[in-house]
Amino acid sequence: MARTVRGMKAGAVRDEFDHAAASYDRLVAANPGYHRHLRVSARRLGLPRGGEGLRVLDLGCGTGASTAALAREFPRAEIIGVDASEGMLARARAKPWGPRVRFVHARAEDLTAGDLGGPSDAVFAAYLLRNCPDPDATLATARDVLKPGGRIVLHEYSVADSAAARGVWSLVCWGVIIPLGRVVTGRSELYRYLWRSVLEFDGAAGLRRRMRAAGLENVRTLALSGWQRGIVHTFFGTVPSTFGSR
């Protein structure tokens, strides 16, 4: 790789996502089950009444695929998409949304409840934590913008605990994702980074420990089906009902 995973996270990831924004939706559409899996993980937030009266934060919303999943599962919720990439947000904002959806340009780890108009009832973060320079700071932010008792779902790659999953991931990346990314965008650095960053990220047990260390409770991992079984997971947790005495 021309740049290390750590170096990419220090700032180049955002630039690469800006560059890939125009073709990103076409690339993810080629992934069988991509949108369905987002909806499954979003549904696992378990919000009542279609989210009526609740605020849901979509951290790392990208071009809005995860936002669309949340809007479909919780049509009565206020949904706020947040992303650090201006290019990705421009694509998200250009899509047709109802009046309950809005977007904020910010780095996830810099966000405060005040930036959103108040604390949120739930946080959804799809493929975000692995791309952050400081995952613990990002988890702390997600915790801090939630109300006591609030729910968080991470929809994330995690293959470190399984040699089989690592093998399938590498095979798919070098056989499909990296070549396709090069053809569609004219460059492959982001997709080579994607491959390596997943291999170097927490295993499922390690990510659960990280979530508990951030002060989250009821932490558990839920499986997804299809070719990504054992590769992409739903990680669920809640903020203690007495957290911060807010």
Side-chain angles (χ1 to χ4, degrees):
M1 289 179 63
R3 281 177 265 191
T4 65
V5 168
R6 180 174 295 180
M8 287 282 284
K9 289 182 181 180
V13 169
R14 183 180 61 241
D15 296 339
E16 289 294 328
F17 275 119
D18 282 342
H19 177 83
S23 54
Y24 194 79
D25 286 337
R26 279 191 294 154
L27 286 167
V28 300
N31 179 347
Y34 183 91
H35 294 288
R36 178 173 57 83
H37 285 160
L38 284 173
R39 293 193 297 270
V40 169
S41 284
R43 192 179 310 133
R44 286 168 171 172
L45 282 168
L47 303 180
R49 305 182 305 279
E52 183 178 5
L54 303 178
R55 173 179 289 150
V56 182
L57 179 60
D58 183 14
L59 271 183
C61 66
T63 60
S66 49
T67 315
L70 290 167
R72 177 167 172 169
E73 297 301 324
F74 308 113
R76 298 180 180 178
E78 175 191 4
I79 300 171
I80 306 173
V82 176
D83 206 277
S85 166
E86 292 181 345
M88 300 291 267
L89 271 183
R91 288 281 165 174
R93 286 182 170 129
K95 296 175 180 179
W97 302 103
R100 294 186 175 88
V101 177
R102 60 187 172 97
F103 295 92
V104 173
H105 179 228
R107 294 171 69 240
E109 53 267 49
D110 295 336
L111 203 64
T112 68
D115 297 327
L116 308 170
S120 299
D121 299 280
V123 166
F124 187 70
Y127 308 115
L128 170 72
L129 202 64
R130 168 182 47 82
N131 292 318
C132 294
D134 189 341
D136 295 318
T138 302
L139 274 176
T141 295
R143 177 202 63 208
D144 290 345
V145 299
L146 280 168
K147 297 176 181 178
R151 304 171 186 183
I152 181 169
V153 158
L154 309 178
H155 179 86
E156 188 56 88
Y157 293 106
S158 181
V159 301
D161 295 342
S162 168
R166 293 195 301 273
V168 171
W169 173 245
S170 289
L171 182 64
V172 170
C173 281
W174 287 100
V176 180
I177 295 173
I178 294 171
L180 182 60
R182 185 185 297 114
V183 169
V184 173
T185 69
R187 58 207 286 180
S188 64
E189 187 163 16
L190 178 61
Y191 308 99
R192 290 165 62 92
Y193 159 80
L194 171 64
W195 165 65
R196 177 61 67 185
S197 68
V198 170
L199 292 180
E200 295 184 2
F201 189 55
D202 295 345
L207 184 49
R208 289 194 299 270
R209 287 193 296 270
R210 193 188 290 274
M211 292 173 71
R212 294 187 186 103
L216 299 172
E217 297 180 335
N218 305 312
V219 174
R220 58 186 183 270
T221 305
L222 301 166
L224 292 162
S225 60
W227 79 266
Q228 293 190 118
R229 184 177 182 86
I231 294 173
V232 178
H233 316 260
T234 308
F235 295 88
F236 177 89
T238 61
V239 175
S241 59
T242 57
F243 180 78
S245 298
R246 292 177 292 181

